[in-house]
Amino acid sequence: MSGQGFTVTGVSKTYEGSGLVQALDGIDLTVGEGEFVVLLGRSGCGKSTLLEIMAGLQTPTSGTVRLGDREITAPDERIGVVFQDPSLYPWRTVGRNVELGLELAGVPKARRRAVAQEHLELVGLPDVGNKYPRQLSGGMRQRVGIARALATRPDVLLMDEPFGAVDHLTRLQLQRDLLRLQAEDTRTVVFVTHDVAEAIVLADRIVLLTPGPGRIARTWDVSRPRPRTLGDPELTVLREEIYAHLEDRERQPR
């Protein structure tokens, strides 16, 4: 599979409540077809807001998002989304959770069962289709969430801190699984994290957002071949540079 790319032009987002809160300010970003881009930044920098706008789940106050040649103004069948909480329905079996998008699209039962099983096998869970979410570990539930997002065969995958709620070893395994899946299908991925090491291990390109309002502070291309180890001297230099930039931004007046 070859994923389509995003063009984000002049995207700003202001929330109204007891006062106006500007979450994003003038974001211009291009994500190439098949590229793995990580949005990095401190909590509150607007990275999740940007991802939800790209997914069509929020409307920008100004600016546009396009996927290929089509503007994104609502959820789109070409876009799969994975959140930190996979939000599986506890009353549905794992298999039927994975089938959900296919069911909503009117895919016949036999076909969606076959596709669900195929994608459970893809994420390393071939034997859990008849179990319920409560019977799975956190890492397994997150794999099910990924399988559900992939089952509709989206062109792009948007992921909002999907591994943030699992233990360290499970997180490392899920990172390896994601890179394997992305390499097999060359799918466009936009991934949100506040973890510098995770960004370096995963990304083709890292986009750093400033603390609110979110603006693009800096981008880095990560050209080292995968699999990557943080002991790689070149990646160590990159990690120190990113941390220095984060600390510098924290010291600057807003």
Side-chain angles (χ1 to χ4, degrees):
M1 176 182 292
S2 182
Q4 299 186 57
F6 280 100
T7 304
V8 178
T9 306
V11 164
S12 297
K13 179 67 176 182
T14 300
Y15 293 102
E16 297 182 11
S18 55
L20 297 179
V21 177
Q22 188 170 17
L24 296 171
D25 182 23
I27 299 292
D28 293 315
L29 176 66
T30 300
V31 180
E33 184 175 341
E35 189 177 17
F36 196 129
V37 168
V38 169
L39 303 179
L40 177 69
R42 306 277 191 189
S43 296
C45 72
K47 54 191 185 295
S48 293
T49 299
L50 177 56
L51 195 83
E52 290 183 7
I53 291 172
M54 294 172 74
L57 299 173
Q58 288 200 49
T59 302
T61 304
S62 61
T64 60
V65 174
R66 305 187 76 85
L67 178 58
D69 58 1
R70 189 192 309 172
E71 186 173 351
I72 299 300
T73 57
D76 189 294
E77 70 277 1
R78 298 170 299 164
I79 301 172
V81 185
V82 180
F83 296 103
Q84 182 171 340
D85 180 353
S87 299
L88 304 177
Y89 291 113
W91 59 87
R92 296 177 71 114
T93 64
V94 167
R96 292 197 63 223
N97 267 284
V98 177
E99 290 177 33
L100 184 59
L102 302 169
E103 185 177 331
L104 294 174
V107 175
K109 182 183 290 188
R111 175 59 184 160
R112 66 179 187 249
R113 284 184 176 175
V115 171
Q117 180 59 33
E118 173 190 341
H119 284 81
L120 285 171
E121 292 174 2
L122 193 66
V123 298
L125 298 174
D127 302 318
V128 303
N130 291 325
K131 294 182 181 292
Y132 286 87
R134 66 179 179 274
Q135 297 174 281
L136 306 184
S137 68
M140 293 169 76
R141 287 194 296 270
Q142 198 55 265
R143 283 191 175 90
V144 174
I146 294 170
R148 181 178 59 189
L150 294 177
T152 56
R153 290 181 165 80
D155 292 321
V156 302
L157 196 58
L158 304 182
M159 309 184 78
D160 189 0
E161 302 203 50
F163 310 146
V166 299
D167 65 82
H168 178 67
L169 291 178
T170 300
R171 185 173 190 151
L172 295 178
Q173 184 58 54
L174 287 169
Q175 290 170 2
R176 289 191 289 267
D177 291 343
L178 176 60
L179 289 173
R180 173 179 57 81
L181 293 171
Q182 200 264 348
E184 288 173 357
D185 286 341
T186 322
R187 185 180 278 106
T188 305
V189 178
V190 181
F191 187 104
V192 163
T193 187
H194 62 270
D195 186 307
V196 174
E198 183 166 66
I200 289 171
V201 166
L202 294 177
D204 294 319
R205 182 159 49 106
I206 297 169
V207 178
L208 178 67
L209 298 185
T210 62
R215 304 182 182 98
I216 294 179
R218 175 75 189 271
T219 64
W220 290 269
D221 293 320
V222 189
S223 59
R224 299 296 289 169
R226 298 183 180 96
R228 298 170 183 157
T229 61
L230 294 175
D232 182 320
E234 186 173 318
L235 296 182
T236 299
V237 170
L238 175 60
R239 180 169 56 176
E240 291 174 353
E241 184 177 335
I242 293 172
Y243 276 125
H245 208 85
L246 279 167
E247 291 167 2
D248 181 59
R249 284 285 165 179
E250 285 292 299
R251 288 193 296 267
Q252 291 181 12
R254 299 180 190 176

